Amino acid sequence: MKIASLDLAVHRLPTPFPLLHGEVRVSEWSAAALAIAEAHGRLVSLWGRDDRRGESGHFVMSAVYALTGGTLVWLDLPLLSREESYPGLADIYPYVIRQQRAVADLLGLAATGESEEHADSRPWLAHGAWSADYFPLRREAGERTSGEWPSASDYPFVAVAGDGVHEIAVGPVHAGIIEPGHFRFSVVGEKVLRLEQRLGYVHKGIDQRFQSLPASEGYRLAGRVSGDSTVACAWAYCMALEAAWKLPVPPRAVWLRALLLERERIANHLGDLGALGNDAAFAFGLAQFMRLKEDWLRLNKALFGHRYLMDVVVPGGIAGDIDANGIEGLLAQCVAIEAGIRELHDIYDEHAGLQDRFLTTGRVTTEQAMALGLTGLAGRASGIARDVRLNFPAPPYTELEFTLACKSGGDVAARVAVRFDEVFESLRLIRQILRRLPSGMVREELPSLLENERPGGIGAGWIEGWRGEIFVALTLAPGNRIARCHCHDPSWQNWPVLEHAVIGNIVPDFPLINKSFNLSYSGHDR
Amino acid sequence: MWKILGRIAKTGIATEAPPAAAAQKVGAGETASVPRLHQEILDILGRALTIRAVDAGSCNGCELELNALNNIYYNLEGLGIKFVASPRHADLLLVSGPVTRNMVLAVQQTYAAMPAPKLVVALGACAIDGGIFGANYATLGGLAPVLPVDHVIPGCPPEPVDILAGILDVVRRRLPPESVPHV
Ligand code: SF4
């Protein structure tokens, strides 16, 4: 089949969105990356796995690309003769550097052949707190819990020289109640010359942990890769599992999953809109939005049993159903919350002090955003009109009327505006879903095969979470076992862009800029 | 300005009564009175209760609930409880997550920086025993291997009322005399 301008042997996987899968040789690996970039496609995610079996098998590198026509392509590169390196892709897609460093940490496979500008062999997730020759995703690694442990080591930050330049080190423990990470600023006076991030503090071995869980249980772990995106990631996981096992999902469950996904989006946007007001010294905004969010979460709990909807999306459907009263309650809440948000929207728009802090702060132009691979909500605030719900629609989005929220400002103000627009759009989606909700059951029973008779296979999930695109690649071994589960959070693309967004801004605006992206540490560090 | 004032007036006071701490629960639905809570916190600590929260590998779910606990429904500061930035100002260390090896040092340093007497609370299933993440090359499987844990708050994530009840519980269970400094 022709992919971009190349002829590749790929076949369609039974996912609810168009996904092609195939194996490539080393020469085709880089050629495909280049051809796809030239055809305006982009790299979504890169990972590796250990397919060695005794004397046979290989390490395998995988990359998934989004093509402009609305198709994903997943390419596997087996590293023949037990090679432990592969052609790096950072010269074509600079934003893949950290993903390649993570592959080196977890699997001991090195990216080679890149220009000096893009080659970075510093460890990323590994901070020296386990031995450097321990690769958790290799077969021989096993699950190590005892033995001698070294302590975490220092990190070779890039130093900036010059008259009056000094460094400010922040983290991993921050002032507020947020996730841990380290930021190293090089500043002159108040102005930021350079920011370098060090992440990985919340790396908890999720990829290895997946391999010890039954595949039918993996959705619970997927739903805790990033707690604020539990619906998106659990849905992507279930989508992958359902494709691999060819499980049907009842239509009502598919529609309810979308309802939950939009509720998750609104919950997060409400929290962020409040926090953004607060970071610009407008505590009223925080108090008001957090109240709305609390109401929202309480209804989740009342109807679905969990405030953040963890463990509600399950393989084959969803756990729990709503009745006519529930639907009425949800619709009534849409009306109440929408009125509240519209009022606050006016207040934010008319508040000179807020707008002064928001406008032109932390700007990422459309050109920068394209070059750096900015994605999701932040991408849409920088003029990149992309959304999985529109460009790669899977049911029920194929049947829902949906308008994309997009701004070109690229500053904090634009990221605030996109959130407001998306809240209103999600409310509209929720109303459509509730009005047209199909009847029937909400969960297909897992086939009553004996556990060890469940087939192996591969599948993938692709969901527009509130932060951006969440991709899950799942490789199953026979007998309900997970050979490899890779959960990709959009923060992998967006964290490096934050380093650019703060250049030239003043240090006190960093918390505001950071919040306007609100990237995931846990989803990134895994 | 008028819109802001209008909104404030419309919102009114949304604060709810605090939950009874688990240890003090007499009958179902008992709620503690605010003045009594104040007094208890004062009796035990001599001042308001200050908390330093540290995420030691959480999925962020526990932090979402800590932030929710700061919303107006729970009126945390009205009870004399406050989250602080500096461990030097903190009476209580609240740790979430399965405690990643990459965070051990930061957790230990935060604890060391707190003035005695210090209380340590493990927040959520992960901090108690590793939760769904367990113990592996990257995590210790909970807080107990690193710090002396005074109290645990179960849940995944624990809801704001559970966190509040847990905090009140640990305050009410008086500190053992040896950990109270003689000044
Ligand atoms: S207890 Fe649950 S919510 Fe809290 S960090 Fe662990 S997985 Fe996340």
Side-chain angles (χ1 to χ4, degrees):
Chain A
M1 195 182 287
K2 272 239 185 290
I3 300 297
S5 53
L6 289 176
D7 238 333
L8 296 174
V10 289
H11 65 278
R12 175 82 168 79
L13 290 182
T15 43
F17 57 92
L19 171 65
L20 302 170
H21 176 256
E23 213 173 85
V24 292
R25 292 185 304 261
V26 162
S27 57
E28 292 168 326
W29 170 261
S30 309
L34 194 61
I36 290 168
E38 281 167 355
H40 306 292
R42 64 203 161 92
L43 181 73
V44 172
S45 185
L46 175 124
W47 70 101
R49 67 174 193 271
D50 184 353
D51 261 4
R52 295 171 302 161
R53 300 275 181 292
E55 293 300 300
S56 63
H58 324 275
F59 289 114
V60 178
M61 281 303 299
S62 303
V64 66
Y65 299 92
L67 307 185
T68 41
T71 301
L72 284 194
V73 185
W74 168 356
L75 299 178
D76 279 341
L77 169 67
L79 304 181
L80 302 179
S81 38
R82 297 278 151 108
E83 281 283 352
E84 296 191 358
S85 63
Y86 61 94
L89 302 178
D91 283 341
I92 308 167
Y93 303 100
Y95 51 85
V96 80
I97 295 176
R98 289 176 180 179
Q99 296 183 57
Q100 294 183 164
R101 291 166 70 188
V103 172
D105 290 341
L106 300 180
L107 205 51
L109 305 178
T112 55
E114 294 166 321
S115 65
E116 209 170 295
E117 187 196 346
H118 294 129
D120 190 342
S121 58
R122 291 177 296 171
W124 181 238
L125 300 176
H127 288 194
W130 56 89
S131 55
D133 58 358
Y134 176 81
F135 300 112
L137 294 184
R138 288 199 177 187
R139 263 171 200 285
E140 60 270 21
E143 281 178 57
R144 185 175 161 193
T145 52
S146 59
E148 284 291 300
W149 297 96
S151 40
S153 49
D154 284 342
Y155 184 73
F157 286 98
V158 176
V160 176
D163 237 9
V165 180
H166 67 281
E167 284 190 346
I168 303 176
V170 185
V173 178
H174 299 298
I177 304 171
I178 59 165
E179 300 182 88
H182 185 96
F183 300 113
R184 187 66 59 97
F185 298 94
S186 301
V187 301
V188 169
E190 281 284 25
K191 204 164 133 195
V192 179
L193 293 181
R194 186 175 200 283
L195 162 64
E196 187 173 0
Q197 300 151 354
R198 187 195 193 190
L199 302 176
Y201 289 92
V202 287
H203 175 69
K204 39 198 170 278
I206 288 182
D207 293 27
Q208 189 192 64
R209 179 81 180 116
F210 266 119
Q211 296 168 356
S212 62
L213 289 180
S216 52
E217 290 296 312
Y219 71 96
R220 296 186 56 243
L221 184 57
R224 285 162 179 82
V225 166
S226 178
D228 54 36
S229 303
T230 180
V231 173
C233 202
W235 187 357
Y237 178 90
C238 289
M239 211 182 240
L241 186 77
E242 286 149 5
W245 281 350
K246 304 193 175 57
L247 286 182
V249 185
R252 185 175 177 87
V254 176
W255 283 65
L256 284 172
R257 284 177 177 181
L259 170 80
L260 302 179
L261 184 70
E262 298 309 324
R263 284 190 65 88
E264 177 169 275
R265 190 180 323 279
I266 290 177
N268 281 289
H269 284 0
L270 290 176
D272 284 353
L273 287 168
L276 281 160
N278 200 49
D279 278 343
F282 191 48
F284 162 87
L286 182 69
Q288 291 289 340
F289 275 108
M290 287 304 279
R291 188 180 73 88
L292 298 181
K293 182 175 180 182
E294 181 71 19
D295 291 342
W296 198 251
L297 299 176
R298 287 180 180 191
L299 191 62
N300 282 347
K301 167 87 180 176
L303 293 179
F304 301 100
H306 196 284
R307 285 160 55 89
Y308 298 91
L309 305 168
M310 281 176 173
D311 305 330
V312 181
V313 178
V314 298
I318 70 158
D321 197 356
I322 46 171
D323 57 13
N325 278 342
I327 292 176
E328 222 164 88
L330 288 163
L331 285 170
Q333 190 177 46
C334 286
V335 174
I337 292 261
E338 178 158 10
I341 300 169
R342 290 217 182 269
E343 213 174 313
L344 293 170
H345 191 195
D346 284 349
I347 291 174
Y348 269 40
D349 270 357
E350 291 166 13
H351 195 288
L354 266 191
Q355 293 306 320
D356 181 50
R357 291 289 304 277
F358 288 173
L359 284 163
T360 73
T361 307
R363 189 132 194 248
V364 183
T365 63
T366 308
E367 295 71 50
Q368 282 174 322
M370 290 299 275
L372 298 168
L374 189 67
T375 180
L377 177 152
R380 291 190 287 279
S382 283
I384 299 185
R386 278 200 302 244
D387 190 310
V388 172
R389 293 173 292 171
L390 193 70
N391 310 124
F392 297 79
Y397 291 100
T398 39
E399 293 175 48
L400 294 169
E401 198 207 315
F402 171 67
T403 313
L404 187 94
C406 193
K407 301 277 175 217
S408 56
D411 51 5
V412 173
R415 290 184 284 276
V416 168
V418 167
R419 281 180 171 91
F420 271 116
D421 287 357
E422 290 195 355
V423 166
F424 295 130
E425 194 57 28
S426 289
L427 285 167
R428 206 160 72 88
L429 283 168
I430 288 175
R431 290 191 175 106
Q432 293 180 55
I433 292 167
L434 290 172
R435 263 189 234 115
R436 297 169 50 196
L437 195 59
S439 56
M441 56 182 181
V442 293
R443 185 173 191 187
E444 193 78 42
E445 281 308 311
L446 290 184
S448 52
L449 292 171
L450 289 175
E451 292 228 322
N452 54 13
E453 284 175 11
R454 288 204 179 128
I458 63 169
W462 177 232
I463 294 286
E464 187 75 33
W466 71 268
R467 194 179 269 119
E469 308 153 344
I470 288 186
F471 177 79
V472 171
L474 190 59
T475 309
L476 297 176
N480 197 17
R481 286 189 309 113
I482 299 171
R484 181 82 174 90
C485 179
H486 171 74
C487 299
H488 179 89
D489 189 278
S491 305
W492 278 100
Q493 267 88 347
N494 290 4
W495 272 119
V497 185
L498 178 63
E499 290 185 342
H500 289 262
V502 298
I503 294 174
N505 286 262
I506 55 171
V507 178
D509 271 341
F510 176 71
L512 183 63
I513 300 169
N514 190 24
K515 191 76 211 174
S516 73
F517 284 86
N518 194 9
L519 302 176
S520 174
Y521 299 70
S522 183
H524 167 281
D525 296 355
R526 285 202 306 272
Chain B
M1 196 66 211
W2 291 115
K3 276 189 184 161
I4 298 177
L5 292 175
R7 180 76 213 174
I8 291 171
K10 222 189 301 174
T11 307
I13 293 174
T15 299
E16 297 167 343
Q24 294 259 317
K25 237 176 222 162
V26 194
E30 189 220 26
T31 50
S33 77
V34 175
R36 203 179 81 210
L37 285 174
H38 271 307
Q39 198 50 51
E40 273 170 331
I41 292 171
L42 284 175
D43 287 350
I44 294 160
L45 296 159
R47 60 193 162 98
L49 177 73
T50 51
I51 304 175
R52 172 67 239 200
V54 172
D55 170 346
S58 151
C59 76
N60 197 27
C62 282
E63 282 58 43
L64 291 178
E65 288 299 46
L66 283 179
N67 280 307
L69 181 58
N70 277 305
N71 75 38
I72 55 174
Y73 284 110
Y74 303 105
N75 187 27
L76 202 61
E77 296 200 11
L79 298 176
I81 303 170
K82 190 175 156 69
F83 284 89
V84 291
S86 171
R88 302 227 184 268
H89 301 155
D91 307 304
L92 189 153
L93 180 62
L94 196 58
V95 179
S96 62
V99 186
T100 60
R101 294 191 196 279
N102 291 349
M103 275 303 285
V104 168
L105 192 63
V107 170
Q108 285 168 334
Q109 288 179 343
T110 305
Y111 179 75
M114 289 168 61
K118 3 185 164 193
L119 287 166
V120 176
V121 174
L123 177 70
C126 292
I128 296 174
D129 62 5
I132 191 163
F133 306 113
N136 58 29
Y137 70 96
T139 79
L140 298 177
L143 185 57
V146 204
L147 294 182
V149 177
D150 296 290
H151 198 61
V152 300
I153 303 177
C156 182
E159 297 182 12
V161 276
D162 303 328
I163 303 175
L164 191 49
I167 292 170
L168 298 179
D169 228 7
V170 74
V171 169
R172 280 172 176 151
R173 294 191 320 173
R174 283 169 185 280
L175 299 175
E178 62 272 16
S179 68
V180 181
H182 302 281
V183 235

